[in-house]
């Protein structure tokens, strides 16, 4: 579109939506570059989180971090990689909700996980976890991991 043509409201809206990035990536140390391998992003697609009621956000984060930890990385790159890759692990409404955040609203991995969990750990899920912890019983002959597993059944 040339500058002489009038732009419609939808043109402005579309341009604005493409320019908004809720996650501000940290600066890489001088001389450090990083490229994602195609395989990593493909594996991220295997753990997509859509934000529907039956999905567990804590499980998603654990799987995402486990996948992230498979990459060889500098300590300085951990936060950069997680912030860059996290949107690729979202789908559907979860992706839409991320895009609705203010531009550059998230600047650290802790902010990202806090915003994600705040949105998806509902009061119902919280109460479910509190009940599970409150009902936990360890028998005399059981190890702690065995008792925890039997309490989840």
């Amino acid at each position: 579109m040339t500058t002489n043509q009038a732009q419609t409201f939808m043109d402005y809206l579309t341009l604005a939506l493409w320019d908004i990035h809720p996650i501000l990536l940290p600066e890489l140390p001088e001389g450090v570059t990083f490229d994602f391998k195609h395989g990593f992003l493909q594996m991220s697609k295997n753990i997509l989180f859509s934000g529907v009621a039956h999905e567990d956000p804590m499980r998603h984060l654990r799987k995402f971090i486990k996948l992230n930890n498979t990459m060889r990385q500098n300590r300085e790159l951990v936060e950069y990689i997680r912030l860059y890759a996290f949107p690729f692990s979202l789908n559907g409404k979860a992706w839409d909700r991320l895009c609705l955040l203010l531009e550059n609203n998230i600047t650290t991995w802790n902010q990202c996980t806090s915003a994600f969990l705040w949105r998806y750990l509902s009061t119902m899920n919280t109460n479910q976890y509190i009940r599970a912890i409150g009902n936990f019983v360890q028998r005399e002959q059981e190890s702690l991991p065995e008792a925890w597993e039997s309490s989840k059944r």
Side-chain angles (χ1 to χ4, degrees):
M1 185 183 307
T2 65
T3 55
N4 294 342
Q5 292 179 316
Q7 290 184 319
T8 66
F9 178 72
M10 277 309 284
D11 292 334
Y12 283 112
L13 183 60
T14 303
L15 289 173
L17 287 175
W18 285 112
D19 288 338
I20 294 173
H21 302 286
I23 297 176
L24 178 65
L25 295 174
E27 293 288 325
L28 287 174
E30 191 164 327
V32 175
T33 59
F34 186 81
D35 289 323
F36 279 94
K37 304 288 184 223
H38 177 73
F40 176 80
L41 295 177
Q42 281 302 111
M43 287 190 293
S44 292
K45 295 293 182 192
N46 293 334
I47 60 165
L48 288 177
F49 181 86
S50 299
V52 293
H54 70 275
E55 290 180 306
D56 182 353
M58 291 295 291
R59 185 169 186 253
H60 175 72
L61 279 178
R62 283 191 301 271
K63 288 171 90 175
F64 177 77
I65 289 170
K66 185 176 182 178
L67 173 64
N68 220 272
N69 289 343
T70 63
M71 299 177 61
R72 292 184 187 166
Q73 52 198 344
N74 258 336
R75 286 184 69 83
E76 304 97 37
L77 292 179
V78 171
E79 185 143 324
Y80 180 88
I81 292 168
R82 287 181 180 171
L83 286 171
Y84 186 90
F86 187 70
F88 290 100
S89 74
L90 302 177
N91 192 23
K93 289 184 180 187
W95 170 258
D96 295 342
R97 287 185 181 117
L98 176 70
C99 292
L100 290 176
L101 293 175
L102 297 174
E103 186 172 12
N104 299 335
N105 193 39
I106 296 172
T107 58
T108 67
W109 177 244
N110 283 341
Q111 286 177 339
C112 185
T113 56
S114 293
F116 177 74
L117 291 175
W118 182 83
R119 174 62 187 98
Y120 292 106
L121 275 182
S122 67
T123 305
M124 185 177 85
N125 286 344
T126 303
N127 290 338
Q128 176 186 353
Y129 291 131
I130 290 170
R131 270 194 308 280
I133 292 168
N135 294 334
F136 177 74
V137 175
Q138 181 181 6
R139 292 177 180 66
E140 205 169 307
Q141 300 84 0
E142 284 183 312
S143 69
L144 184 58
E146 290 171 338
W148 184 250
E149 283 303 313
S150 66
S151 73
K152 294 195 303 188
R153 288 183 224 152

